[in-house]
Amino acid sequence: DQQVKQNSPSLSVQEGRISILNCDYTNSMFDYFLWYKKYPAEGPTFLISISSIKDKNEDGRFTVFLNKSAKHLSLHIVPSQPGDSAVYFCAARTLGGSQGNLIFGKGTKLSVKP
Amino acid sequence: DAGVIQSPRHEVTEMGQEVTLRCKPISGHNSLFWYRQTMMRGLELLIYFNNNVPIDDSGMPEDRFSAKMPNASFSTLKIQPSEPRDSAVYFCASQLGSNQPQHFGDGTRLSIL
């Protein structure tokens, strides 16, 4: 039973447009969420995070939105660049529980076309 | 700054053999994690250490898997005996503190024939 779901395995976007990657979760005890980016043959790289006490966190071209009532978060990349082409993983953690246990979604492969 | 270093990057071996994967965390990080990535199950946590002590090994699939962290700068994940279903990419990650993100190595791609 997946606690963190990324329902779109792939997404294709034109350079300069907005990329929106979505993530749903089922565990209401999650209170810290992260996005990682992964290039082929490399490990995941931390991108941006958000605590459940916030509904938005922004870092340059990347913004993460959290809707706790819907148990949904999204990552917006604007403007999208070809170098953003990678697999994006959503992850969630229960701060009060086993602090090391990040639960990952299965990822969404983003392709940004020039 | 050096990131998390894993070795080997690739390992191909025959079933029944012992496999040892190695990880050097980022200096100063006090938590270390071992993950396995497969197409079917995605990224799964196998075990994690805090200050060299195993905290949660509930993700270790069976007794054939074992992990050690003899000091703050080194950890191993062993599979003995290995089986074809163990074929996956194994990642190590380290973390400075519980409110900090985990930093991943580039993984070991393991193929058991």
Side-chain angles (χ1 to χ4, degrees):
Chain A
D1 184 28
Q2 275 188 275
Q3 297 187 64
V4 178
K5 296 180 184 179
Q6 295 178 256
N7 292 318
S8 298
S10 63
L11 175 68
S12 183
V13 170
Q14 204 68 31
E15 181 180 7
R17 308 295 288 268
I18 186 171
S19 295
I20 300 177
L21 298 116
N22 294 304
C23 178
D24 297 295
Y25 62 96
T26 57
N27 189 342
S28 58
M29 295 299 290
F30 288 147
D31 57 1
Y32 185 58
F33 304 88
L34 307 90
W35 283 94
Y36 281 82
K37 178 170 74 173
K38 185 183 180 304
Y39 293 118
E42 294 184 10
T45 303
F46 170 71
L47 195 55
I48 192 169
S49 63
I50 188 167
S51 164
S52 61
I53 61 173
K54 295 185 175 182
D55 56 16
K56 176 182 174 181
N57 188 25
E58 190 172 352
D59 183 2
R61 297 185 297 113
F62 302 91
T63 303
V64 55
F65 294 93
L66 176 63
N67 182 335
K68 284 184 65 179
S69 61
K71 294 193 178 68
H72 177 84
L73 67 157
S74 60
L75 175 68
H76 292 209
I77 306 173
V78 57
S80 302
Q81 300 173 355
D84 297 329
S85 297
V87 178
Y88 289 79
F89 292 96
C90 168
R93 189 176 72 192
T94 307
L95 277 177
S98 178
Q99 294 181 350
N101 200 350
L102 274 182
I103 309 296
F104 282 85
K106 290 195 173 181
T108 297
K109 184 176 182 180
L110 174 66
S111 299
V112 180
K113 301 190 182 304
Chain B
D1 285 343
V4 175
I5 299 172
Q6 291 187 246
S7 64
R9 289 298 312 275
H10 300 91
E11 175 87 14
V12 180
T13 192
E14 293 186 346
M15 67 177 291
Q17 298 296 308
E18 176 180 293
V19 172
T20 300
L21 311 182
R22 297 172 175 80
C23 176
K24 177 178 169 56
I26 294 172
S27 177
H29 283 197
N30 56 15
S31 296
L32 182 140
F33 309 82
W34 283 101
Y35 288 88
R36 178 172 66 176
Q37 184 184 29
T38 60
M39 289 291 291
M40 288 291 293
R41 301 176 67 91
L43 261 171
E44 300 175 285
L45 179 69
L46 299 177
I47 185 172
Y48 86 94
F49 297 83
N50 198 35
N51 293 321
N52 312 340
V53 176
I55 301 300
D56 183 355
D57 66 353
S58 58
M60 295 286 261
E62 49 198 272
D63 291 345
R64 297 184 298 107
F65 286 69
S66 63
K68 293 182 180 178
M69 192 165 185
N71 57 61
S73 59
F74 184 65
S75 177
T76 59
L77 177 67
K78 281 191 180 180
I79 309 173
Q80 167 63 19
S82 57
E83 297 182 3
R85 61 191 168 121
D86 301 329
S87 298
V89 181
Y90 291 80
F91 289 102
C92 175
S94 70
Q95 184 183 43
L96 179 61
S98 60
N99 289 335
Q100 300 294 318
Q102 295 177 19
H103 296 264
F104 285 76
D106 285 339
T108 294
R109 182 172 293 276
L110 177 64
S111 298
I112 308 297
L113 306 177

